Amino acid sequence: MKITVIGSGYVGLVSGACLADVGNDVLCLDLDAAKIAVLRGGGIPIHEPGLDAMVAHNVAAGRLRFTDDVAESVAHGQIQFIAVGTPPDEDGSADLQHVLAAARSIGRHMSDYRVVVDKSTVPVGTADRVRAAIEAELAARGVAVGFSVVSNPEFLKEGAAVEDFMRPDRIIVGASDERAIDAMRALYAPFQRNRDRLMVMDPRSAELTKYAANAMLATRISFMNELALLAERVGADIEQVRVGIGSDPRIGTQFLYAGTGYGGSCFPKDVKALIHTAGQNGRPLEVLRAVERANEAQKRVLVDKVVARFGADLAGRRFALWGLAFKPNTDDMREAPSRAVVEGLVAHGARIVAYDPVAMGEARRVFGDQPGLAYADSALQALEGADALLILTEWKEFRSPDFDRIRELLRQPLIFDGRNMFAPAVVTQAGIEYHGIGRPVGGPDAG
């Protein structure tokens, strides 16, 4: 099947590579000529485990190509995926200018039937706007060409996107005509050989499903973070609470980990967009507003703990920071808690030495020449002479460190664990003071 993917960013590149990997002829379009040059040269502009090998394999096989020629891309695929960015506007709404520009380009160049698929995360009603944009271009040309518009939201987790696409737990298709539904069933058949995971609904319900899913997950995170702060006040351990409530099958175990708040390109943007949609329609989502407020406050909790321990004046203090990406297995720092922590500590006069296994390049781009911030070549190097270690991202390489070595390298044996990676008793037995999120504070125990 010939497929065009408009947009070669995170969603577009993963989708294009995975579709090519099952035998489709995929052409990825991006108007950023520099990005296309990188892709054609074998480079990958994002960090996603397994993606580089998959792209290279399918490019070599001739099933995956890249272009910045709009006419070529529209002519190529009977199925046209729109996978461009929808960044938040100033009022929190999703900015649809790139989605609608892609739709207009399709209408401007199409000469026969096309299935136009909204893969980008878009507000309810976008499928209707995409249809209107294409119809307007066709009318301006004075031609009548059939087409269908489908909502097919992505449910890809950064750091596991290839696996999520190749082995989906559900495939949402919002469509109103059988021709388009049949095309989508044929397209996704290779990804659901053992059981049917494709769910057909109307386009508006499909669009809302994507926002509702991310909003629900964000709600669980913020609820657990607020509960963790209460646990600290009442002397409970949020990890024990998590296990207790997670054993209830009605609740389950996913997204119950307390930490320093959610970040990334999806949850913050989608929560804002859904709040905006609700306000536009006269049905404000008060719970979701509270989720957003709680998350912004949670990003500052680790700074508050440092200030409570050392005082407000951190001049002359140096802190090691492990983890800059908003989650493991990605270099994405959009809305990452590390950004709020760096800003907060520097504002109090502290110096920071940071390390991340993958996101160092992105950090240098994000922070620029941030005063008070330096980078280490390794996790242990960051510790040298630091007053404490702060953990912001739960990378695997941080899970089982040498606590004796940590104690030796730190100026003061002290860990602020923003991801609750360690058992407090293990850390304190190594002679290190421990501060987690919603966990008992542990003083050093020499044994």
Side-chain angles (χ1 to χ4, degrees), residues 183-253:
M184 298 302 287
R185 287 194 183 279
L187 178 69
Y188 281 114
F191 301 96
Q192 47 176 345
R193 290 174 59 83
N194 63 340
R195 65 179 176 86
D196 187 5
R197 295 175 172 83
L198 192 143
M199 307 174 190
V200 178
M201 58 186 71
D202 65 272
R204 286 177 175 252
S205 295
E207 291 163 343
L208 185 56
T209 295
K210 167 63 177 182
Y211 279 117
N214 278 353
M216 176 64 77
L217 297 176
T219 299
R220 287 170 70 99
I221 293 170
S222 281
F223 175 74
M224 288 303 293
N225 282 335
E226 292 220 297
L227 208 58
L229 300 183
L230 176 61
E232 292 179 359
R233 292 291 183 91
V234 300
D237 186 337
I238 195 63
E239 281 294 290
Q240 295 183 30
V241 174
R242 175 184 65 80
V243 173
I245 65 175
S247 64
D248 186 332
R250 297 170 301 174
I251 297 173
T253 60

Side-chain angles (χ1 to χ4, degrees), residues 9-136:
Y10 182 82
V11 173
L13 188 56
V14 171
S15 300
C18 292
L19 289 166
D21 206 53
V22 296
N24 294 295
D25 180 1
V26 180
L27 181 63
C28 290
L29 169 74
D30 204 288
L31 299 184
D32 185 342
K35 181 185 291 184
I36 293 298
V38 168
L39 290 166
R40 285 175 171 170
I44 302 293
I46 59 175
H47 178 84
E48 182 61 39
L51 182 60
D52 51 354
M54 179 177 282
V55 168
H57 172 70
N58 286 285
V59 167
R63 293 189 295 265
L64 180 62
R65 294 179 292 117
F66 305 98
T67 185
D68 57 2
D69 187 325
V70 174
E72 179 189 10
S73 73
V74 177
H76 176 78
Q78 184 182 55
I79 297 180
Q80 301 268 319
F81 278 94
I82 298 178
V84 296
T86 54
D89 221 332
E90 290 184 1
D91 60 0
S93 63
D95 185 346
L96 295 179
Q97 62 172 316
H98 302 302
V99 171
L100 298 178
R104 286 191 291 269
S105 294
I106 295 170
R108 198 172 298 129
H109 294 281
M110 63 188 288
S111 58
D112 53 10
Y113 178 77
R114 291 288 181 266
V115 178
V116 180
V117 182
D118 289 334
K119 197 67 173 172
S120 303
T121 300
V122 294
V124 177
T126 299
D128 294 335
R129 296 183 64 181
V130 166
R131 179 182 301 279
I134 296 173
E135 288 175 342

Side-chain angles (χ1 to χ4, degrees), residues 293-316:
R293 289 194 302 271
N295 190 61
E296 289 306 304
Q298 194 70 19
K299 290 179 180 181
R300 299 188 294 271
V301 163
L302 221 55
V303 175
D304 294 340
K305 288 178 177 290
V306 170
V307 169
R309 175 63 173 75
F310 289 100
D313 184 4
L314 298 177

Side-chain angles (χ1 to χ4, degrees), residues 193-403:
R193 290 174 59 83
N194 63 340
R195 65 179 176 86
D196 187 5
R197 295 175 172 83
L198 192 143
M199 307 174 190
V200 178
M201 58 186 71
D202 65 272
R204 286 177 175 252
S205 295
E207 291 163 343
L208 185 56
T209 295
K210 167 63 177 182
Y211 279 117
N214 278 353
M216 176 64 77
L217 297 176
T219 299
R220 287 170 70 99
I221 293 170
S222 281
F223 175 74
M224 288 303 293
N225 282 335
E226 292 220 297
L227 208 58
L229 300 183
L230 176 61
E232 292 179 359
R233 292 291 183 91
V234 300
D237 186 337
I238 195 63
E239 281 294 290
Q240 295 183 30
V241 174
R242 175 184 65 80
V243 173
I245 65 175
S247 64
D248 186 332
R250 297 170 301 174
I251 297 173
T253 60
Q254 298 296 311
F255 286 82
L256 293 183
Y257 290 87
T260 55
Y262 59 78
S265 63
C266 294
F267 287 7
K269 173 176 68 70
D270 294 352
V271 166
K272 288 180 185 296
L274 188 53
I275 289 172
H276 182 268
T277 295
Q280 275 189 320
N281 288 273
R283 282 290 180 183
L285 298 176
E286 300 298 343
V287 169
L288 212 52
R289 287 178 174 175
V291 166
E292 186 177 43
R293 289 194 302 271
N295 190 61
E296 289 306 304
Q298 194 70 19
K299 290 179 180 181
R300 299 188 294 271
V301 163
L302 221 55
V303 175
D304 294 340
K305 288 178 177 290
V306 170
V307 169
R309 175 63 173 75
F310 289 100
D313 184 4
L314 298 177
R317 300 285 187 183
R318 175 177 170 177
F319 297 97
L321 196 157
W322 282 4
L324 293 165
F326 86 95
K327 64 181 290 188
N329 297 322
T330 181
D331 62 350
D332 195 344
M333 288 184 59
R334 285 173 287 186
E335 304 281 346
S338 63
R339 299 175 71 158
V341 170
V342 168
E343 178 183 340
L345 291 178
V346 169
H348 283 282
R351 292 180 297 124
I352 300 165
V353 180
Y355 169 75
D356 189 286
V358 169
M360 301 289 271
E362 179 65 6
R364 288 184 171 93
R365 186 193 69 80
V366 168
F367 290 119
D369 298 324
Q370 170 70 55
L373 174 63
Y375 301 97
D377 294 328
S378 69
L380 290 180
Q381 186 187 71
L383 299 174
E384 296 175 1
D387 290 284
L389 165 63
L390 281 67
I391 300 175
L392 272 297
T393 313
E394 62 275 31
W395 286 97
K396 286 183 180 179
E397 70 176 72
F398 302 156
R399 289 182 182 177
S400 185
D402 183 340
F403 288 112

